[in-house]
Amino acid sequence: MSPLHGRDPLLRSLVPRLTGLTYDERSRTPREHHGDLPVVLVTGHHGMGRSAVLADLASHYRDRLPLAHVKVVPTESGTLPYAPDDGAAATASTLVGVLAELVCALAPGLRRRFPVLTPGLFAVSGWERDNSEQRDATCLLHARLLRACRLADGDEDALRHTWATAVEGRLKDAAGDGAERDGDRDRDRDGEAVTDAVMAEYTERYGPGPARDWYGRRFPPGTDGQDPLPLLGEWFHQGGDYRDFAEQSLMAAFLHDIAASYGRLQRWNREPWPLVLLDDAHHTAGRTFLDLLLKNRALPERPDHEELVVVATRLGELPEDDDDAIRRELVDVVRSSGWERRGRAPSAGLLAVPLAPLSRDDILPLLVPDRPARPLHPYLASAVHSLTGGHPAATTVLCAAVLDATGRGAGVEPRGLLELTTKEGRAVTEVLLERLLPDRRQRDRLTLLSLARDSTAAEALAAHLRFQGPDQLPANSATDYLEDQQWQRLTSPDEPLVADMLLQTLLVHEARRTSRGVEDGRGWQEIHRFLRIHHAQRGESGEADALRHTLAAGNAETVVAALAEEFQSEQDEQAAAHWVLCLRYAATAPTPPTPPAGDWFDERTQVALGAHDGRYAELDEIERCVNRLLHALWHVSEPHAEPDPDMCKAVGEELAFLSPRHRSWHAVLGQAARSWPVAARRKRPLPIPGE
């Protein structure tokens, strides 16, 4: 399945109305906004198709209008090559890098040299003396800017070398006798010297043109008499409020040059304005670019009325402090964006469009092979939807794995979806987790810590497993990572460590699949044994968790004994709800590893239907009933499996058997006997009577 499935309202409706060009035809279409455009912010988690949307827009609009496609990367990611491969997004980790990539991409299409912004970018992009790697990267950027603006010709690398040699020559001449250097003050002077040398070389070769006067008008009166371009670089590197001023000036210069590219003739002919595609704008450089753009557009009297079309993506949801942004679902933007500026807050210029998950009806066509080797299970689409929640990447991988398995003649049941492998033979859970949790170290930690009920239990487990590393609290580090990756917000100690159900399901299955032996203490049984003891020490409040971990370890006999003993000994009517809650929660335990990874065999159906009652001849009728009931509930509680009608019926029958056999619990158990089978068949939570 294409990751763009269901994105037509964005691709074929909204963006064409902003650009004035249809999505897949070389024709014009009426523009929805004039003079003031929203910044479209596409939001979604990992695997929702954010990058795919921008890549598709780039492929459809390239060569039809001036277009720039930039992917923002974290600052700490290291030096990256500036020049992208053909058709790929350029990468940038700083605001200067983003602006430079926009110039490199847009200048040829606009036939514009960006006469104000380009000198400003040279003024702020220097390097540390004696840092050859930083110098070469910066000079490569300078070379690309010069070529894109038609200020220089020739090979990019040769131009970089010539430029670096010229600037270094000026630095050497200015160094004089090479006096002894003194700490931070000399480093500051070095930065100023590099800026001065870069601007001197640029001015001598190309002249500052209108840039000097333009920047000069922006500086406060106290700077009269100083050359504004070196001063811009000085303020930029000084940081704080000075840097804010310099960055605002660079953004204003960018918008000024864009607006100046469209004279009366271009506006009269309705030539399309540039389209900027900014991927992963949640990173620092992306946030800074959008903040400056929105702040400029929110000015009561904008000096330059550009109509730049900007579509950006953000990992996760719209930030809570963007209160004035307009939020629209995909289905709401088919005929109109629904956006209009409300107030002068910068965020009022945002139109946020979250990428929606797929529906069950979207999934069904993806499970129709061209030549089916055997019929597919009739509820497979429902099972995929229940498991993934419609997550596009997870759905894509699972559906492809289903078709691959059936193509090889294998049958696929809903309960076996997570056991599938990709065409390359890799486990689907491994492939998906690599995509959804990119950091391998945190992914490996979370695979084991996800077995804990909450953050407190996870921290105890991390200490037990002796996780090594620089983090003082490994579970807190994992939680911080999940929050940083926008999977959840502000996890409290008594909440699940992993809040997202799909992510939790994948992690637990991966823990089961990769379960190791007992020698390192990280095996499935060993972890659940530790967690059972951890919760048992909490007394009655931890009883349900202790039973659940006991069952997850495959020790159903202990769970049955504990539940049967409480049933027969506890007479307090109020204790019935607690018993039912423990039963229900224990039955949500993940199943243990089966051979060859483990020694547990899935016989839940047989036990629930009484086929193995002979094994339990030493138990009384109450214990045998609880045993059958527990296994039936364990079977129907798997979230993505289609409920077995026989198992649902067995749940009701066993509860009905127990009801009259307890003097004070019969009403609660009788109510559960009627409501639980219905809820199980409808895939709804099993209600606790009285709640």
Side-chain angles (χ1 to χ4, degrees):
M1 180 192 71
S2 167
L4 300 171
H5 191 81
R7 307 319 189 209
D8 280 356
L10 181 64
L11 299 172
R12 297 178 180 272
S13 298
L14 178 60
V15 174
R17 291 198 307 272
L18 296 177
T19 61
L21 290 178
T22 57
Y23 171 73
D24 51 9
E25 298 177 3
R26 292 187 177 274
S27 60
R28 300 289 180 92
T29 189
R31 295 184 66 190
E32 181 177 352
H33 299 282
H34 295 278
D36 191 12
L37 275 68
V39 171
V40 178
L41 186 64
V42 181
T43 62
H45 292 299
H46 283 295
M48 289 297 290
R50 294 171 293 109
S51 297
V53 165
L54 296 195
D56 189 74
L57 288 172
S59 67
H60 278 80
Y61 282 100
R62 185 174 284 113
D63 301 327
R64 299 173 61 197
L65 47 63
L67 182 141
H69 185 193
V70 180
K71 183 179 180 65
V72 184
V73 296
T75 306
E76 63 272 12
S77 61
T79 302
L80 294 168
Y82 284 104
D85 297 330
D86 291 341
T91 56
S93 60
T94 64
L95 173 66
V96 171
V98 171
L99 290 172
E101 292 300 340
L102 296 183
V103 170
C104 290
L106 297 177
L110 290 173
R111 299 179 296 278
R112 179 78 172 171
R113 295 184 175 183
F114 285 82
V116 176
L117 177 60
T118 300
L121 292 175
F122 273 80
V124 300
S125 54
W127 58 86
E128 295 179 6
R129 294 286 292 272
D130 303 325
N131 188 331
S132 59
E133 183 178 351
Q134 191 180 61
R135 178 202 62 206
D136 290 344
T138 303
C139 289
L140 176 61
L141 180 61
H142 289 170
R144 293 188 62 229
L145 285 168
L146 294 174
R147 293 182 71 229
C149 295
R150 297 187 310 234
L151 294 172
D153 298 318
D155 178 73
E156 193 173 87
D157 193 61
L159 183 57
R160 173 197 63 80
H161 180 74
T162 301
W163 179 260
T165 301
V167 175
E168 288 286 1
R170 288 182 178 273
L171 287 170
K172 189 175 296 183
D173 292 342
D177 58 2
E180 190 174 333
R181 300 165 63 81
D182 181 23
D184 293 339
R185 180 177 299 177
D186 284 316
R187 281 193 291 273
D188 292 341
R189 290 173 180 169
D190 282 347
E192 294 177 18
V194 171
T195 297
D196 291 342
V198 167
M199 287 314 304
E201 187 67 23
Y202 183 92
T203 301
E204 182 176 306
R205 292 191 182 202
Y206 311 111
R212 179 171 288 160
D213 292 338
W214 190 91
Y215 287 108
R217 289 192 297 270
R218 290 187 61 87
F219 277 97
T223 60
D224 293 345
Q226 300 185 55
D227 190 333
L229 282 167
L231 185 61
L232 180 72
E234 180 183 330
W235 281 30
F236 181 86
H237 294 294
Q238 192 167 344
D241 296 335
Y242 295 95
R243 184 168 191 146
D244 289 343
F245 174 88
E247 290 179 339
Q248 291 175 33
S249 297
L250 292 173
M251 175 57 70
F254 171 63
L255 299 178
H256 170 80
D257 283 339
I258 291 289
S261 300
Y262 285 76
R264 290 184 178 179
L265 182 61
Q266 289 91 342
R267 295 172 189 261
W268 180 265
N269 290 332
R270 294 177 58 235
E271 288 193 16
W273 286 79
L275 173 60
V276 170
L277 305 173
L278 191 64
D279 201 8
D280 285 346
H282 51 278
H283 291 307
T284 302
R287 291 199 308 269
T288 303
F289 177 87
L290 292 183
D291 288 346
L292 292 172
L293 173 62
L294 292 168
K295 184 176 181 179
N296 190 285
R297 286 184 170 179
L299 295 174
E301 295 184 5
R302 289 166 57 187
D304 299 293
H305 281 276
E306 46 68 38
E307 296 185 38
L308 187 72
V309 180
V310 178
V311 182
T313 68
R314 174 183 170 81
L315 178 65
E317 301 173 356
L318 186 68
E320 294 179 350
D321 53 358
D322 287 334
D323 296 333
D324 294 281
I326 301 296
R327 296 169 172 84
R328 291 288 182 267
E329 301 298 328
L330 279 171
V331 294
D332 297 330
V333 300
V334 173
R335 300 194 179 279
S336 169
S337 69
W339 178 87
E340 61 178 342
R341 184 175 294 279
R342 300 173 182 173
R344 284 296 163 186
S347 61
L350 272 177
L351 172 60
V353 183
L355 293 180
L358 304 175
S359 69
R360 185 183 62 177
D361 292 339
D362 293 326
I363 295 173
L364 184 58
L366 309 176
L367 292 170
V368 182
D370 294 333
R371 295 182 179 84
R374 57 189 301 168
L376 296 182
H377 191 283
Y379 293 107
L380 210 52
S382 296
V384 170
H385 189 263
S386 295
L387 175 60
T388 65
H391 187 280
T395 300
T396 301
V397 171
L398 285 175
C399 288
V402 167
L403 295 182
D404 180 64
T406 55
R408 292 184 278 104
V412 179
E413 298 288 325
R415 294 178 188 275
L417 283 172
L418 292 179
E419 306 294 340
L420 294 172
T421 58
T422 64
K423 186 177 293 186
E424 295 74 26
R426 300 181 65 201
V428 292
T429 50
E430 179 184 23
V431 171
L432 284 172
L433 286 172
E434 284 182 2
R435 181 167 182 180
L436 303 182
L437 298 173
D439 188 315
R440 178 178 178 179
R441 178 167 173 264
Q442 296 291 8
R443 184 171 66 245
D444 290 344
R445 280 183 171 183
L446 283 165
T447 298
L448 297 179
L449 297 182
S450 65
L451 300 178
R453 180 194 186 281
D454 52 36
S455 296
T456 300
E459 194 58 65
L461 178 60
H464 172 71
L465 296 177
R466 298 180 180 178
F467 279 152
Q468 302 296 319
D471 305 291
Q472 187 175 6
L473 297 173
N476 285 357
S477 171
T479 301
D480 291 342
Y481 174 70
L482 290 173
E483 293 172 0
D484 180 66
Q485 294 296 303
Q486 301 295 315
W487 284 107
Q488 56 205 46
R489 292 181 179 177
L490 301 177
T491 307
S492 67
D494 59 345
E495 290 179 341
L497 184 71
V498 183
D500 185 85
M501 289 303 299
L502 170 62
L503 203 58
Q504 170 73 7
T505 300
L506 294 173
L507 287 166
V508 169
H509 185 85
E510 188 67 1
R512 176 170 47 232
R513 187 185 72 84
T514 58
S515 177
R516 304 171 182 172
V518 299
E519 65 277 359
D520 64 354
R522 297 190 177 190
W524 180 273
Q525 272 75 18
E526 290 71 29
I527 289 177
H528 283 288
R529 187 178 299 118
F530 169 82
L531 292 171
R532 174 185 61 80
I533 295 172
H534 169 81
H535 288 290
Q537 292 172 345
R538 295 165 47 202
E540 184 176 329
S541 64
E543 182 182 1
D545 289 294
L547 292 176
R548 184 175 183 273
H549 287 296
T550 303
L551 189 60
N555 192 355
E557 293 81 1
T558 300
V559 178
V560 169
L563 290 171
E565 180 183 0
E566 186 172 349
F567 179 89
Q568 293 173 325
S569 62
E570 182 63 66
Q571 299 302 316
D572 183 4
E573 183 177 352
Q574 304 302 318
H578 174 73
W579 188 86
V580 171
L581 187 147
C582 287
L583 170 68
R584 183 187 69 175
Y585 186 66
T588 64
T591 55
T594 55
D599 55 6
W600 180 81
F601 292 90
D602 189 358
E603 298 177 321
R604 289 174 294 175
T605 301
Q606 296 88 329
V607 174
L609 297 179
H612 294 328
D613 272 4
R615 296 181 184 175
Y616 309 104
E618 75 282 0
L619 303 181
D620 60 35
E621 64 176 4
I622 298 297
E623 291 172 315
R624 287 197 298 273
C625 177
V626 171
N627 188 37
R628 294 191 297 268
L629 173 60
L630 178 66
H631 282 82
L633 279 172
W634 199 9
H635 192 274
V636 303
S637 294
E638 287 184 316
H640 62 278
E642 189 66 23
D644 187 316
D646 291 336
M647 293 295 99
C648 295
K649 181 180 178 182
V651 169
E653 289 177 344
E654 301 302 343
L655 284 168
F657 178 84
L658 291 175
S659 177
R661 285 165 176 77
H662 197 291
R663 185 177 62 185
S664 56
W665 290 7
H666 59 87
V668 171
L669 297 177
Q671 186 176 344
R674 294 186 296 272
S675 61
W676 281 18
V678 176
R681 282 193 294 270
R682 297 178 179 176
K683 300 288 290 181
R684 294 176 179 173
L686 307 180
I688 301 296
E691 288 190 353

